[in-house]
Amino acid sequence: MSILVVGSVALDSVKTPFGNAPNALGGSGTYFSVSASFFTKVRLVAVVGSDFPPEHIKLLEKRKIDISGLKKVAGKTFRWKGEYGFDLNNAKTLDTQLNVFAQFKPEIPPNYADSEYVFLANIDPELQLDVLKQVKRPRLVACDTMNFWISSKKAALKKTLKHVDILVINEAEVRQLADETNLVKAARCIRSWGPKSLVVKRGEYGVLLFGGGQVFGAPAYPLEKIFDPTGAGDTFAGGFMGYLAKCGSLADADVRRAIIMGSVMASFDVEDFSLNRLVRLKQGEISRRFKEFKTLTHFDVI
Amino acid sequence: MSILVVGSVALDSVKTPFGNAPNALGGSGTYFSVSASFFTKVRLVAVVGSDFPPEHIKLLEKRKIDISGLKKVAGKTFRWKGEYGFDLNNAKTLDTQLNVFAQFKPEIPPNYADSEYVFLANIDPELQLDVLKQVKRPRLVACDTMNFWISSKKAALKKTLKHVDILVINEAEVRQLADETNLVKAARCIRSWGPKSLVVKRGEYGVLLFGGGQVFGAPAYPLEKIFDPTGAGDTFAGGFMGYLAKCGSLADADVRRAIIMGSVMASFDVEDFSLNRLVRLKQGEISRRFKEFKTLTHFDVI
């Protein structure tokens, strides 16, 4: 089943203690699409400027991502410049140039309107709601957001959340959104606003899912070499949604496997700069690491 | 099989956003002993002052902890005063009075020397080594330490670690001790100094075990009501060692269950001030929460 993703396609300049990647392919829509493309068909809606390198378009095409909704307009592509210290947990933003992204008004191509799975990456919540008005009632809507929208457009965000099935956000944003430090209470509060499930991304500590009647916790995969955490959250969301769309079920056991699959994909993303690791990733590596997650977390009750 | 624990018995004054407990029973040796006593016989070596309330002695006796190694000397008991904010992750120490603990020189009673399991709670690494000289070769030696000893007595600590099988410390201390931010690398470094296994305590994010050929990760149990995190680490260690001593095996699968059992005990500890929750804990609650941990983390590979 097809996934529609609306988000950013960007040129990132990232510096970490292990090197740097200037003007590399980035953006929430990009990471999500490439990650999800390992599992199902992906339709991308985003905007780039006239400076967007053709090799990046080729990369998306090679992953068989439908980019008929990727608009190219006059002007410069969205650019983000950031730096990570040794702990690799928090990016320090050095520069943000919205460029053509500042005027982004997602237009969903008519042939995308029947998408059964929709992922609203981190954009203005008013635009997220606008996207939902352009699609026929999809089977599953998930969305991301960030501290900026929580503090500046909370009312609009809460309006959007009424129509969202799964909210996928960072732990600090969960606390900020609910204005509650206890995660269990914060999750209950947010879920009372609409989302049936809440996926809490905790970076190197893994993921917590509050959904239906279940709570599920998965650690992140302990990696010896982490080069660049940029895009890990969107790559997680891509693996999570991609797996759900592929298996076509929303049963608890499948949602758990989807959480692990998202974690698997994110664990690959951070192993290299930009999308370098994802584009050379093989299906066999994915299933191998999925099994390694099982080995990492398994114990028997006796 | 019996566990010998050497650590502190203290009077804690703790304030959290949910209340406060002045002059309550605390100390690493206390939390460890009470937690481990649910699984096996515990022998406690520590020191208290003449002001130590008899009801606390009764509490330890009620848990059938052997306190013939708990010395009562003239002077005041070790006192710690701390405060937690809403995030409950980090205690702010307001006051530390070592009192009789300043002169603590652990003397292991002759009838304790055959203890098969030894836990060296967080005390001066020179004293930890001294304890090991007083026991016949035990089956398993685990120890804890803290940032203070890592920065002030690293050489002595490394000397002690040569004789330690399992080091159980906080994540930040792992990084500080190895002078390495990457946990996988830090674990390898520390294990090259002696400990066959490293248990990394990550507070509300759970535990990572690096041991033998395995890495095992367990999230913490998401709790709605956390009143006081004091003693959670020592309570974890008590459940971990207690379970290992009870089952008498060091097989990978048993060590994994021991990690979960430690997490189970810690999850109870934080539900009330001081040892209040642990003293009213029932065996049935322990096995029920153990199963809940399984439900929290389980997924199937298909």
Side-chain angles (χ1 to χ4, degrees), chain A residues 121-189:
Chain A
N122 169 32
I123 56 172
D124 185 330
E126 292 179 22
L127 298 182
Q128 290 178 322
L129 189 57
D130 197 48
V131 168
L132 293 183
K133 287 176 183 158
Q134 297 176 62
V135 292
K136 293 171 198 156
R137 176 65 197 163
R139 195 159 170 220
L140 188 78
V141 176
C143 94
D144 190 3
T145 192
M146 71 183 290
N147 48 8
F148 178 76
W149 306 119
I150 296 170
S151 52
S152 64
K153 291 203 172 185
K154 190 162 171 179
L157 178 58
K158 283 180 75 171
K159 216 170 145 187
T160 299
L161 289 181
K162 278 187 192 169
H163 309 277
V164 164
D165 301 302
I166 308 182
L167 177 63
V168 184
I169 58 177
N170 292 333
E171 183 174 23
E173 291 158 357
V174 171
R175 294 189 159 112
Q176 186 193 357
L177 180 57
D179 197 14
E180 165 64 54
T181 48
N182 183 282
L183 272 190
V184 180
K185 287 183 193 165
R188 187 185 306 133
C189 167

Coordinates of all heavy atoms in Angstrom, one line a residue, chain A residues 121-189:
Chain A
A121 N 5.4 15.0 7.9 CA 6.6 15.3 8.6 C 6.5 16.6 9.3 O 5.5 17.3 9.2 CB 7.8 15.2 7.6
N122 N 7.6 17.0 9.9 CA 7.6 18.2 10.7 C 7.5 19.5 9.9 O 8.5 20.1 9.5 CB 8.9 18.2 11.6 CG 9.1 19.5 12.2 OD1 8.2 20.2 12.6 ND2 10.4 19.8 12.4
I123 N 6.2 19.9 9.6 CA 6.0 21.2 9.0 C 4.9 22.0 9.8 O 4.3 21.4 10.7 CB 5.5 21.1 7.5 CG1 4.3 20.2 7.4 CG2 6.6 20.5 6.6 CD1 3.6 20.1 6.0
D124 N 4.6 23.2 9.4 CA 3.5 24.0 10.1 C 2.3 23.1 10.2 O 1.7 22.6 9.3 CB 3.3 25.2 9.2 CG 2.3 26.2 9.8 OD1 1.4 25.8 10.5 OD2 2.4 27.4 9.5
P125 N 1.7 23.0 11.4 CA 0.5 22.2 11.7 C -0.7 22.6 10.8 O -1.5 21.8 10.5 CB 0.2 22.4 13.2 CG 1.1 23.5 13.6 CD 2.3 23.6 12.7
E126 N -0.7 23.9 10.4 CA -1.8 24.3 9.5 C -1.7 23.7 8.2 O -2.7 23.3 7.5 CB -1.8 25.9 9.4 CG -2.2 26.5 10.7 CD -2.2 28.1 10.7 OE1 -2.3 28.6 9.6 OE2 -2.1 28.7 11.7
L127 N -0.5 23.6 7.7 CA -0.2 22.9 6.4 C -0.5 21.4 6.5 O -1.0 20.8 5.6 CB 1.2 23.2 6.0 CG 1.7 24.6 5.7 CD1 3.1 24.7 5.2 CD2 0.7 25.2 4.6
Q128 N -0.2 20.9 7.7 CA -0.4 19.4 7.9 C -2.0 19.2 7.8 O -2.4 18.2 7.1 CB 0.1 19.0 9.3 CG 1.6 19.0 9.4 CD 2.1 18.6 10.8 OE1 1.5 19.0 11.8 NE2 3.1 17.8 10.9
L129 N -2.8 20.0 8.4 CA -4.2 19.9 8.3 C -4.7 20.1 6.9 O -5.6 19.3 6.4 CB -4.9 20.9 9.3 CG -6.4 20.7 9.5 CD1 -6.7 19.3 10.1 CD2 -6.9 21.8 10.5
D130 N -4.1 21.0 6.2 CA -4.4 21.3 4.8 C -4.2 20.1 4.0 O -5.0 19.8 3.0 CB -3.6 22.5 4.4 CG -4.2 23.1 3.1 OD1 -5.4 23.3 3.1 OD2 -3.4 23.3 2.1
V131 N -3.1 19.3 4.2 CA -2.8 18.1 3.5 C -3.9 17.1 3.7 O -4.4 16.5 2.8 CB -1.5 17.5 3.9 CG1 -1.3 16.1 3.4 CG2 -0.3 18.4 3.5
L132 N -4.4 17.0 4.9 CA -5.4 16.0 5.3 C -6.7 16.3 4.5 O -7.5 15.4 4.2 CB -5.6 15.9 6.8 CG -4.4 15.3 7.5 CD1 -4.8 15.2 9.0 CD2 -4.0 13.9 7.0
K133 N -7.0 17.6 4.3 CA -8.2 18.0 3.5 C -8.1 17.6 2.1 O -9.1 17.5 1.4 CB -8.4 19.5 3.6 CG -8.9 19.9 5.0 CD -9.0 21.4 5.1 CE -9.4 21.8 6.6 NZ -9.0 23.2 6.9
Q134 N -6.9 17.3 1.6 CA -6.7 17.0 0.2 C -6.7 15.5 -0.1 O -6.5 15.1 -1.3 CB -5.4 17.6 -0.4 CG -5.4 19.2 -0.3 CD -4.1 19.7 -0.7 OE1 -3.6 19.5 -1.9 NE2 -3.4 20.4 0.2
V135 N -6.7 14.7 0.9 CA -6.7 13.2 0.7 C -8.0 12.6 1.1 O -8.7 13.2 2.0 CB -5.5 12.5 1.5 CG1 -4.2 12.9 0.9 CG2 -5.6 12.8 3.0
K136 N -8.4 11.5 0.4 CA -9.6 10.8 0.9 C -9.2 10.1 2.2 O -8.0 10.0 2.5 CB -9.9 9.7 -0.2 CG -10.4 10.2 -1.5 CD -10.5 9.2 -2.5 CE -10.5 9.8 -3.9 NZ -10.1 8.9 -5.0
R137 N -10.2 9.8 3.0 CA -9.8 9.3 4.3 C -8.9 8.1 4.2 O -9.2 7.0 3.8 CB -11.1 8.9 5.1 CG -10.9 8.2 6.4 CD -10.3 9.2 7.4 NE -9.7 8.4 8.6 CZ -8.9 9.0 9.5 NH1 -8.5 10.2 9.3 NH2 -8.4 8.2 10.5
P138 N -7.6 8.4 4.6 CA -6.6 7.3 4.5 C -6.8 6.3 5.7 O -7.5 6.6 6.7 CB -5.3 8.1 4.7 CG -5.6 9.4 5.3 CD -7.1 9.6 5.1
R139 N -6.1 5.2 5.6 CA -6.3 4.2 6.6 C -5.5 4.6 7.9 O -6.0 4.3 9.0 CB -5.6 2.9 6.0 CG -6.0 1.7 6.8 CD -5.9 0.4 6.1 NE -6.0 -0.6 7.1 CZ -5.3 -1.7 7.1 NH1 -4.5 -2.0 6.2 NH2 -5.5 -2.6 8.1
L140 N -4.4 5.2 7.7 CA -3.6 5.6 8.9 C -2.9 6.9 8.6 O -2.2 7.1 7.6 CB -2.5 4.5 9.1 CG -1.7 4.7 10.4 CD1 -2.5 4.2 11.6 CD2 -0.4 3.9 10.3
V141 N -3.0 7.9 9.5 CA -2.3 9.1 9.5 C -1.4 9.3 10.6 O -1.8 9.1 11.8 CB -3.3 10.3 9.5 CG1 -2.5 11.7 9.5 CG2 -4.3 10.3 8.3
A142 N -0.1 9.5 10.3 CA 0.9 9.7 11.4 C 1.5 11.1 11.2 O 1.6 11.6 10.1 CB 2.0 8.6 11.4
C143 N 2.0 11.7 12.3 CA 2.6 13.0 12.1 C 3.7 13.2 13.1 O 3.8 12.6 14.1 CB 1.6 14.1 12.0 SG 1.3 15.0 13.5
D144 N 4.6 14.1 12.7 CA 5.7 14.6 13.6 C 5.5 16.1 13.8 O 4.7 16.7 13.2 CB 7.0 14.3 12.8 CG 8.2 14.5 13.7 OD1 8.1 14.8 14.9 OD2 9.4 14.4 13.1
T145 N 6.1 16.6 14.8 CA 6.2 18.1 15.0 C 7.4 18.4 15.8 O 8.3 17.6 16.0 CB 4.9 18.6 15.7 OG1 4.8 20.0 15.6 CG2 4.8 18.2 17.2
M146 N 7.5 19.7 16.2 CA 8.8 20.1 16.9 C 8.5 21.2 17.9 O 7.4 21.8 17.8 CB 9.9 20.5 15.9 CG 9.6 21.8 15.3 SD 10.9 22.3 14.1 CE 12.3 22.6 15.1
N147 N 9.4 21.4 18.8 CA 9.3 22.4 19.8 C 8.8 23.8 19.2 O 8.0 24.5 19.9 CB 10.5 22.6 20.6 CG 11.8 22.8 19.7 OD1 11.7 22.9 18.5 ND2 13.0 22.7 20.4
F148 N 9.3 24.2 18.1 CA 8.9 25.5 17.5 C 7.4 25.6 17.3 O 6.8 26.6 17.6 CB 9.7 25.7 16.1 CG 9.3 26.9 15.4 CD1 9.9 28.1 15.8 CD2 8.5 26.9 14.3 CE1 9.6 29.3 15.2 CE2 8.2 28.1 13.7 CZ 8.7 29.3 14.1
W149 N 6.8 24.6 16.7 CA 5.3 24.6 16.5 C 4.6 24.5 17.8 O 3.5 25.1 18.0 CB 4.9 23.5 15.5 CG 5.6 23.5 14.2 CD1 6.4 22.6 13.7 CD2 5.7 24.6 13.3 NE1 7.0 22.9 12.5 CE2 6.5 24.2 12.2 CE3 5.1 25.9 13.2 CZ2 6.8 25.0 11.1 CZ3 5.4 26.7 12.1 CH2 6.2 26.3 11.1
I150 N 5.1 23.7 18.8 CA 4.4 23.5 20.0 C 4.3 24.8 20.8 O 3.3 25.1 21.4 CB 5.2 22.4 20.9 CG1 5.1 21.1 20.2 CG2 4.6 22.3 22.3 CD1 6.0 20.0 20.9
S151 N 5.4 25.6 20.7 CA 5.4 26.9 21.4 C 4.7 28.0 20.6 O 4.0 28.9 21.2 CB 6.8 27.3 21.9 OG 7.7 27.3 20.8
S152 N 4.7 27.9 19.3 CA 4.2 29.0 18.5 C 2.8 28.8 18.0 O 2.0 29.7 17.7 CB 5.1 29.4 17.4 OG 5.2 28.4 16.4
K153 N 2.4 27.5 17.7 CA 1.1 27.2 17.1 C 0.4 26.0 17.8 O 0.0 25.1 17.1 CB 1.3 26.9 15.6 CG 1.7 28.1 14.8 CD 1.4 27.9 13.3 CE 1.6 29.2 12.5 NZ 1.1 29.1 11.1
K154 N 0.3 26.1 19.1 CA -0.2 24.9 19.8 C -1.7 24.7 19.5 O -2.1 23.5 19.3 CB 0.0 25.1 21.3 CG -0.3 23.8 22.1 CD 0.3 23.9 23.5 CE -0.3 22.7 24.3 NZ 0.3 22.7 25.7
A155 N -2.4 25.7 19.4 CA -3.9 25.5 19.1 C -4.1 24.9 17.7 O -4.9 23.9 17.6 CB -4.6 26.9 19.1
A156 N -3.3 25.3 16.7 CA -3.4 24.7 15.4 C -2.9 23.3 15.4 O -3.5 22.4 14.8 CB -2.5 25.5 14.4
L157 N -1.9 23.0 16.2 CA -1.4 21.7 16.3 C -2.4 20.7 16.9 O -2.6 19.6 16.4 CB -0.1 21.7 17.1 CG 0.6 20.3 17.4 CD1 0.9 19.6 16.1 CD2 1.9 20.5 18.2
K158 N -3.1 21.2 18.0 CA -4.1 20.4 18.6 C -5.3 20.1 17.6 O -5.8 19.0 17.7 CB -4.6 21.0 19.9 CG -3.6 20.9 21.1 CD -4.1 21.6 22.3 CE -5.2 20.8 23.0 NZ -5.5 21.3 24.4
K159 N -5.5 21.1 16.8 CA -6.6 20.9 15.8 C -6.2 19.8 14.8 O -7.0 18.9 14.4 CB -6.8 22.2 15.0 CG -8.2 22.5 14.6 CD -8.4 23.9 14.1 CE -9.4 24.0 13.0 NZ -9.5 25.3 12.4
T160 N -4.9 19.8 14.4 CA -4.4 18.8 13.5 C -4.4 17.4 14.1 O -4.8 16.4 13.5 CB -3.0 19.1 13.0 OG1 -3.0 20.4 12.3 CG2 -2.4 18.1 12.1
L161 N -4.0 17.4 15.4 CA -3.9 16.1 16.1 C -5.3 15.4 16.2 O -5.3 14.1 16.4 CB -3.3 16.3 17.5 CG -1.9 16.7 17.6 CD1 -1.4 16.9 19.0 CD2 -1.0 15.6 16.8
K162 N -6.4 16.1 16.1 CA -7.7 15.5 16.2 C -7.8 14.5 15.0 O -8.7 13.5 15.1 CB -8.8 16.5 16.0 CG -9.1 17.2 17.3 CD -10.4 18.1 17.1 CE -10.5 19.1 18.3 NZ -11.5 20.1 18.0
H163 N -7.1 14.7 13.9 CA -7.2 13.9 12.8 C -6.1 12.9 12.6 O -5.9 12.4 11.5 CB -7.4 14.8 11.5 CG -8.5 15.8 11.7 ND1 -9.8 15.5 11.5 CD2 -8.5 17.1 12.1 CE1 -10.6 16.5 11.7 NE2 -9.7 17.5 12.1
V164 N -5.2 12.8 13.6 CA -4.0 12.0 13.5 C -4.2 10.7 14.3 O -4.7 10.8 15.4 CB -2.8 12.8 14.0 CG1 -1.6 12.0 14.2 CG2 -2.5 13.9 12.9
D165 N -3.7 9.6 13.7 CA -3.8 8.3 14.4 C -2.6 8.1 15.3 O -2.7 7.6 16.4 CB -3.9 7.2 13.4 CG -5.2 7.3 12.6 OD1 -6.3 7.4 13.1 OD2 -5.0 7.4 11.3
I166 N -1.4 8.4 14.8 CA -0.2 8.2 15.5 C 0.7 9.4 15.5 O 1.1 9.9 14.4 CB 0.6 7.0 14.9 CG1 -0.2 5.8 14.8 CG2 1.8 6.7 15.8 CD1 0.5 4.5 14.2
L167 N 1.0 9.9 16.7 CA 2.0 11.0 16.8 C 3.3 10.5 17.1 O 3.5 9.7 18.1 CB 1.5 12.0 17.9 CG 2.4 13.2 18.1 CD1 2.5 14.1 16.9 CD2 1.9 14.0 19.3
V168 N 4.3 10.9 16.3 CA 5.7 10.4 16.5 C 6.6 11.5 16.8 O 7.0 12.3 15.9 CB 6.2 9.7 15.2 CG1 7.6 9.1 15.3 CG2 5.2 8.7 14.6
I169 N 6.9 11.7 18.1 CA 7.7 12.9 18.4 C 8.8 12.6 19.5 O 8.8 11.5 20.1 CB 6.9 14.1 18.9 CG1 6.1 13.7 20.2 CG2 6.0 14.6 17.8 CD1 5.3 14.9 20.7
N170 N 9.7 13.5 19.6 CA 10.8 13.3 20.6 C 10.3 13.4 22.0 O 9.3 14.1 22.3 CB 11.9 14.4 20.4 CG 12.6 14.2 19.1 OD1 12.7 13.1 18.6 ND2 13.1 15.3 18.6
E171 N 11.0 12.8 22.9 CA 10.6 12.8 24.4 C 10.4 14.2 24.9 O 9.4 14.5 25.6 CB 11.7 12.0 25.1 CG 11.4 11.9 26.6 CD 12.4 11.0 27.3 OE1 13.5 10.9 26.8 OE2 12.0 10.4 28.3
A172 N 11.4 15.1 24.7 CA 11.3 16.4 25.2 C 10.0 17.1 24.7 O 9.4 17.9 25.4 CB 12.5 17.2 24.9
E173 N 9.7 16.8 23.4 CA 8.5 17.5 22.9 C 7.2 16.9 23.4 O 6.2 17.6 23.6 CB 8.5 17.3 21.3 CG 9.6 18.1 20.7 CD 10.1 17.6 19.3 OE1 9.6 16.5 18.9 OE2 11.0 18.2 18.7
V174 N 7.2 15.6 23.8 CA 6.1 15.0 24.5 C 5.8 15.8 25.8 O 4.7 16.2 26.1 CB 6.4 13.5 24.8 CG1 5.2 13.0 25.7 CG2 6.5 12.7 23.6
R175 N 6.9 16.0 26.5 CA 6.7 16.7 27.8 C 6.3 18.2 27.6 O 5.4 18.7 28.3 CB 8.0 16.7 28.6 CG 8.4 15.3 29.0 CD 9.6 15.2 30.0 NE 9.7 14.0 30.7 CZ 10.6 13.1 30.6 NH1 11.6 13.2 29.7 NH2 10.5 11.9 31.3
Q176 N 6.8 18.8 26.6 CA 6.5 20.2 26.3 C 5.0 20.3 25.9 O 4.3 21.2 26.3 CB 7.4 20.7 25.2 CG 7.2 22.2 25.0 CD 7.9 22.7 23.7 OE1 8.6 21.9 23.0 NE2 7.8 24.0 23.3
L177 N 4.6 19.4 25.0 CA 3.3 19.5 24.4 C 2.2 19.2 25.5 O 1.2 19.9 25.5 CB 3.2 18.4 23.3 CG 1.8 18.3 22.6 CD1 1.4 19.6 22.0 CD2 1.9 17.2 21.5
A178 N 2.5 18.3 26.4 CA 1.5 18.0 27.4 C 1.7 18.8 28.6 O 0.8 18.9 29.5 CB 1.6 16.5 27.8
D179 N 2.8 19.6 28.7 CA 3.2 20.4 29.9 C 3.1 19.5 31.1 O 2.5 19.8 32.1 CB 2.2 21.5 30.1 CG 2.8 22.6 31.0 OD1 4.0 22.5 31.3 OD2 2.0 23.5 31.4
E180 N 3.8 18.3 31.0 CA 3.8 17.3 32.1 C 5.1 16.5 31.9 O 5.4 16.0 30.9 CB 2.6 16.4 31.8 CG 2.6 15.1 32.6 CD 2.5 15.3 34.1 OE1 1.6 15.9 34.6 OE2 3.4 14.7 34.8
T181 N 5.9 16.4 33.0 CA 7.2 15.7 33.0 C 7.0 14.2 33.0 O 7.8 13.5 32.4 CB 8.1 16.1 34.2 OG1 7.3 16.0 35.4 CG2 8.6 17.5 34.0
N182 N 6.0 13.7 33.6 CA 5.8 12.2 33.7 C 5.3 11.7 32.3 O 4.2 12.2 31.9 CB 4.9 11.8 34.8 CG 4.7 10.3 34.9 OD1 4.0 9.7 34.1 ND2 5.4 9.7 35.9
L183 N 6.1 10.8 31.7 CA 5.7 10.4 30.3 C 4.4 9.7 30.3 O 3.7 9.8 29.3 CB 6.8 9.5 29.8 CG 8.0 10.1 29.1 CD1 8.9 9.0 28.4 CD2 7.6 11.1 28.1
V184 N 4.1 8.8 31.3 CA 2.9 8.1 31.2 C 1.7 9.0 31.3 O 0.7 8.9 30.5 CB 2.8 7.1 32.4 CG1 1.5 6.3 32.4 CG2 4.0 6.2 32.4
K185 N 1.8 10.0 32.1 CA 0.7 11.0 32.2 C 0.6 11.9 30.9 O -0.4 12.2 30.4 CB 0.9 11.9 33.4 CG 0.6 11.3 34.7 CD 0.8 12.3 35.9 CE 0.8 11.6 37.2 NZ 1.3 12.5 38.3
A186 N 1.8 12.3 30.4 CA 1.9 13.1 29.2 C 1.3 12.4 28.1 O 0.5 12.9 27.3 CB 3.3 13.5 28.9
A187 N 1.6 11.1 28.0 CA 1.0 10.3 26.8 C -0.5 10.2 26.9 O -1.2 10.3 25.9 CB 1.6 8.9 26.9
R188 N -1.0 10.0 28.1 CA -2.5 9.9 28.3 C -3.1 11.3 27.9 O -4.1 11.3 27.2 CB -2.9 9.6 29.7 CG -4.3 9.3 29.9 CD -4.8 9.1 31.3 NE -4.0 8.0 31.9 CZ -3.4 8.1 33.1 NH1 -3.6 9.2 33.8 NH2 -2.7 7.1 33.6
C189 N -2.5 12.4 28.3 CA -3.0 13.7 28.0 C -3.1 13.9 26.4 O -4.1 14.3 25.9 CB -2.1 14.7 28.6 SG -2.4 16.4 28.1

